[in-house]
Amino acid sequence: MSNYHIKNLEEYFQVYRKSVRDPETFWEEIAEENFVWQERWQQVLDFDLTVPRVNWFKGAKLNITENCIDRHLYAHGSKTAILFEPNDPSETSQHITYKQLHKRVCKFANVLKDQGIKKGDRVCIYLPMIPELAVALLACARIGAIHSVVFAGFSATALSTRINDCDCTLVVTSDGAFRGEKTIDLKAIVDEALGSCKGVKSVLVVKRTHSEIPMVENRDMWLQPLLDSASNHCEPEPMDAEDPLFILYTSGSTGKPKGMVHTTAGYMVYSAYTFKNVFQYREKDVYWCTADIGWITGHSYIVYGPLANAATTVLFEGVPSYPDWSRFWAIVEKHKVNQFYTAPTAIRALAKERLDFAENHDLSSLKILGTVGEPINEEAWHWYNDNIGKKRCPIVDTWWQTETGGIMISPIPHATPTIPTFATLPLPGIQPALMDEIGNELSGNSVSGRLCIRFPWPSMARTIWGDHQRYKDTYFSAFKGYYFTGDGALRDTTGYYRITGRVDDVIIVSGHNLGTAPIEDAINEHPAVAESAIVGFPHKIKGNALYGFVILKETGEQRDPANLRKEINQIITEHIGPIAKLDKIQFTKGLPKTRSGKIMRRILRKIACGETDRLGDISTLLNPEVVDAIIEDVL
Ligand code: 7RM
């Protein structure tokens, strides 16, 4: 029996029990048998979750790109590593072999070096979904630079905040991006952002849209000529197991975004292990994850996990609706995709369209379907199962987070029987716990509570960049000795987990995690706005949509509400991006507040959801009378 590849339920239980009984031996065997190391570790695990301090494979030396590329060259050099499918279906797709990927990564790595980038430096990557994006990540990893990918849908303000937070000195971007029918001026956004990023010395620009763009002298350079003259050869930098591999920002419930730091060895081992098992990847399979590499799902399950397993991973530049809603299924047919991984919000959007978009394509290559990002509702699950998987493909409902680095709770296809809306069982090495509100762990089955993890796993984020205290406060303080996820969950009679959603102030809109605080901060900058509070409410396609309660200043009350609504969404678009726009904006005289001055979002949430008859106890409010006023005007 191999720990690395689980094939049936009995094996799962055996492996799981071993992983709990003796986590160190369990992970040590996996690390030893499935990766290449330049130097072996002295200790498998050293940790104290109260500090918190977590070290996996301490003392080991490795380079993740050697594991994702070099070691495959002998047996899989001519195999397609990255299968690029462009936005425009009439543009030819590209098959980048492991050999070609090796060359491209080495060249790019040398260009970074020529720009003075060295181990430990931070590089911001702001690119559309084109091969250079994956190559840029790997090129950073090759030389030990820490990449910080910023999703190319983010605004200039969001970009500059992230560049400054971790002091990036180099930015990789493109002239523009193709997204469906639109062409987006990415470089213009970067130029605007860099107006407030004094630390950035160079900008490397990939040519994609061939738009005319201004180049700033002594800062901006076209990438291609630099690549052309760079050497093919670049030795992989020896990295310590715990050297940071990347920073990826995620919204918090308060304040600025959190730069989650992932380190090298643990992240590699866990993303590779979970990719292999959750998607049951076999040598000739074509695997496709539709996420953007700007999110953790893209990092772990488009780039690192698949490449560490010598897989063929599809990289799609476009959107599901272009040229029409059959695009996903056309791609599945064209490339004979075997594993398909997407988000519930995409499934709901697709399910709303005509069925023949899917029916007109041959989907018989599909073996496994996956979902990630938010709870999947029963209706969407059945639509996916019936019309895409034709009831023959197991659906893996994978629960995890930016902070966890890899999939935590998920079925293993052909081992774990699936039930709609259940992420089912923890993967080997993962020890979930449910807690009640006063911090007691709930034992046994048929319980629900706050979802925590009781023991370290290799790919957990190690800190928040520049703010270890915040890392401790956010994840390790609510329940001493546990990692707190921020999610609620229930464990059913058989021990299966169902994730019920966030218990904090993060709202997931179309699979994007949005903190309410930054959106409120943006709105409050409008000269007519006094105060605001954002809550989520259920939305058929997006999962959740945003509802804003806004108190106007006196000057604002004289103004046309329709114009104000437009301006508020405009400010949000500028500060965060269009994904954070509000679906509903209600102007109100007051917000329900606790005596310590905190807005009671719980009440606003109920109002936004139309559950005004179940507001619960409002007697502790400072101003209970505003509640009735708000209900009267509800949209
Ligand atoms: C991978 C990713 C994390 C949050 C997480 C949950 C929610 C993710 C599921 C899910 C129910 C799922 N990272 N979430 N997957 N909820 N079922 N299968 O999404 O950092 O962007 O978001 O997403 O609330 O805490 S993330």
Side-chain angles (χ1 to χ4, degrees), residues 90 167 233 271 298 315 362 388 475 478 485 556:
S90 65
D167 301 311
H233 185 83
S271 62
L315 199 161
D362 177 5
I388 306 306
Y475 304 105
T485 65

Side-chain angles (χ1 to χ4, degrees), residues 39-58:
E39 262 172 57
R40 211 190 138 83
W41 47 90
Q42 280 123 30
Q43 195 182 356
V44 179
L45 173 63
D46 153 56
F47 78 102
D48 179 347
L49 291 187
T50 62
V51 176
R53 176 189 77 239
V54 177
N55 293 295
W56 281 95
F57 309 110
K58 211 173 169 175

Side-chain angles (χ1 to χ4, degrees), residues 5-16:
H5 187 187
I6 296 163
K7 296 185 206 63
N8 57 56
L9 193 58
E10 192 189 332
E11 257 182 36
Y12 163 76
F13 282 118
Q14 270 181 40
V15 171
Y16 186 77

